[in-house]
Amino acid sequence: MKKNLLTLATILTIGFFTNSTVAQSTTKSELTNATASAHLVQPMILEETNGLDFGTILLTDKLAGKFLLTPDASDDGVLTVTEGGNSAASVGGHKAKVGLYTVKGSKHSGYAVTLPSTITVNSTGSANIDEMTIDNLKLYFSSTSKIDTAGKLDKKGDDTFKLGGTLNIGADQGDGLYAGTFTISVDYN
């Protein structure tokens, strides 16, 4: 009798594991509405209409100074002295102008602009190389009519933005023309 019970228990145990395995292998799940997509965009094009230009600044003293050129809805922006005693007066008709840039790409797309934290400009045409920095860079977007870090392309895929910043003039800064280059990049966001 013990042998028969042991055989019966073994058969039931084997049957239990066999049924569990069969039950697991026949159970499946299906997803019938899985998705796939693609978003095609035009290559972005960035063009400089005019560069960032602080104009001609009259050095009325030998003190260090800061000149803020704020981009806004106007073509030129607003130039103000934020530190120091130098005059922000235009001399010889060379007025300050914010940088103006045109962006082209896929219509109605948002984009972001990447700028350096500082731009260095060096004196040109003199034996003594002197430099100044431009920092506190700000962008004004036509699409949003505000200072921001991102814009939106219109229904034709166009937008413009203006660039301003703070020119830092050192104490006893040498006179002359200062110029430099820097990198701006745009990308979809």
Side-chain angles (χ1 to χ4, degrees):
M1 177 84 164
K2 280 186 181 181
K3 195 171 185 179
N4 286 342
L5 284 177
L6 184 56
T7 304
L8 181 60
T10 304
I11 291 171
L12 287 176
T13 303
I14 292 172
F16 174 75
F17 284 115
T18 304
N19 284 340
S20 294
T21 304
V22 171
Q24 289 175 0
S25 67
T26 60
T27 305
K28 73 177 186 178
S29 176
E30 249 179 34
L31 177 62
T32 59
N33 59 347
T35 62
S37 65
H39 181 194
L40 304 179
V41 294
Q42 297 293 323
M44 295 198 81
I45 298 170
L46 175 63
E47 296 175 342
E48 181 179 75
T49 303
N50 58 269
L52 179 59
D53 186 350
F54 284 84
T56 300
I57 297 171
L58 180 61
L59 298 173
T60 56
D61 57 40
K62 300 288 185 181
L63 300 175
K66 290 183 180 280
F67 293 82
L68 174 63
L69 182 53
T70 305
D72 61 12
S74 72
D75 288 339
D76 299 333
V78 178
L79 181 66
T80 54
V81 179
T82 59
E83 244 179 68
N86 290 304
S87 170
S90 295
V91 178
H94 186 183
K95 293 178 14 176
K97 278 189 168 253
V98 293
L100 178 61
Y101 303 87
T102 301
V103 180
K104 296 181 182 296
S106 291
K107 60 186 177 181
H108 302 293
S109 295
Y111 69 96
V113 178
T114 303
L115 297 168
S117 58
T118 303
I119 300 168
T120 301
V121 290
N122 297 300
S123 60
T124 62
S126 96
N128 297 330
I129 301 294
D130 217 356
E131 70 178 36
M132 294 185 291
T133 59
I134 302 168
D135 56 16
N136 192 28
L137 301 174
K138 301 285 185 210
L139 298 169
Y140 178 90
F141 291 87
S142 297
S143 59
T144 60
S145 298
K146 66 180 183 176
I147 291 179
D148 206 341
T149 58
K152 186 168 182 169
L153 300 172
D154 65 15
K155 64 183 178 182
K156 293 180 181 178
D158 299 329
D159 192 21
T160 59
F161 64 86
K162 298 172 184 175
L163 172 64
T166 300
L167 175 66
N168 302 288
I169 297 177
D172 294 319
Q173 189 80 46
D175 62 340
L177 178 63
Y178 288 76
T181 61
F182 58 100
T183 300
I184 300 176
S185 62
V186 293
D187 199 1
Y188 294 106
N189 59 2

